């Protein structure tokens, strides 16, 4: 693929915003944060045509595209192609590894939980399925709710405890 001329030509394509965040997608937000921390100029665009696509987020510029489902994901591809590498700037800072892990795991888990369980799916419907025909959107929505509940091991008996573990427990490490 042809490489773009300059970073100002790049567009990060994500899913829609919610909760006052530029994107409420648990996969897209860490990429957005990474690019912002790297001071990498980019435009932000939204794609809701394929809500279950593993290609989103992706970065594009001209004929260059770095998809999420490629080996290493968007960030790995951008590093490999020499476009942006925030890790090389911060690898000597001990807290960077912890911060990066927190963004990629806890933040994504907390956002996933809140998006699909905490808001009873109202934001998820808006972000992922509002542009689809009702029957298709409803079926995909219900399948994803089920998958998220399985991912977090949620049952009627343990919902409150699991919510505390997912949302509050990691914050205790940050405060102390």
């Amino acid at each position: 693929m042809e490489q773009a001329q300059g970073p100002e030509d790049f567009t990060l394509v994500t899913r829609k915003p919610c909760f006052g965040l530029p994107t409420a997608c648990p996969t897209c937000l860490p990429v957005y944060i990474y690019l912002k921390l790297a001071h990498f100029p980019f435009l932000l665009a939204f794609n809701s045509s394929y809500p279950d696509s593993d290609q989103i987020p992706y970065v594009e510029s001209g004929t260059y595209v770095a998809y999420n489902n490629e080996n290493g994901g968007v960030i790995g591809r951008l590093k490999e192609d020499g476009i942006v590498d925030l890790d090389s700037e911060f690898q000597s800072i001990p807290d960077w590894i912890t911060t990066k892990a927190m963004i990629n795991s806890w933040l994504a888990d907390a956002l996933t939980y809140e998006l699909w369980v905490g808001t009873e799916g109202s934001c998820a419907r808006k972000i992922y399925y509002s542009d689809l025909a009702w029957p298709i959107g409803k079926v995909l929505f219900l399948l994803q709710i089920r998958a998220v509940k399985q991912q977090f091991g949620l049952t009627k008996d343990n919902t409150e405890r699991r919510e505390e573990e997912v949302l509050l427990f990691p914050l205790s490490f940050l405060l102390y």
Side-chain angles (χ1 to χ4, degrees), residues 15-169:
R15 293 191 174 94
K16 295 178 183 178
C18 195
F19 308 120
L21 298 169
T23 176
C25 170
T27 308
C28 301
L29 188 60
V31 175
Y32 178 89
I33 291 170
Y34 185 92
L35 295 176
K36 283 295 189 180
L37 287 173
H39 301 288
F40 184 77
F42 62 92
L43 299 172
L44 184 62
F46 304 106
N47 180 331
S48 54
S49 300
Y50 302 100
D52 58 345
S53 173
D54 62 350
Q55 293 181 333
I56 298 172
Y58 58 90
V59 172
E60 62 183 2
S61 179
T63 58
Y64 177 86
V65 183
Y67 291 109
N68 185 55
N69 65 347
E70 293 176 339
N71 198 12
V74 176
I75 294 169
R77 177 70 188 274
L78 292 172
K79 284 185 208 177
E80 182 181 305
D81 294 341
I83 295 170
V84 64
D85 188 356
L86 181 62
D87 294 346
S88 66
E89 295 177 36
F90 291 109
Q91 66 186 3
S92 62
I93 301 172
D95 290 339
W96 172 242
I97 294 169
T98 306
T99 302
K100 185 177 169 186
M102 183 182 74
I103 290 170
N104 288 322
S105 62
W106 173 76
L107 179 61
D109 284 351
L111 190 54
T112 299
Y113 183 92
E114 194 59 30
L115 190 63
W116 293 98
V117 180
T119 63
E120 297 178 5
S122 62
C123 280
R125 269 189 225 102
K126 176 183 154 194
I127 294 166
Y128 292 92
Y129 305 114
S130 63
D131 297 335
L132 296 177
W134 178 82
I136 294 169
K138 185 68 173 180
V139 168
L140 290 173
F141 172 75
L142 292 173
L143 288 172
Q144 186 62 31
I145 290 263
R146 181 175 175 216
V148 168
K149 286 183 176 182
Q150 286 177 341
Q151 173 188 345
F152 290 112
L154 293 174
T155 64
K156 290 178 184 178
D157 299 330
N158 73 355
T159 300
E160 284 184 31
R161 180 181 56 80
R162 289 295 293 144
E163 178 178 6
E164 186 175 306
E165 290 171 1
V166 171
L167 299 177
L168 301 177
F169 182 70

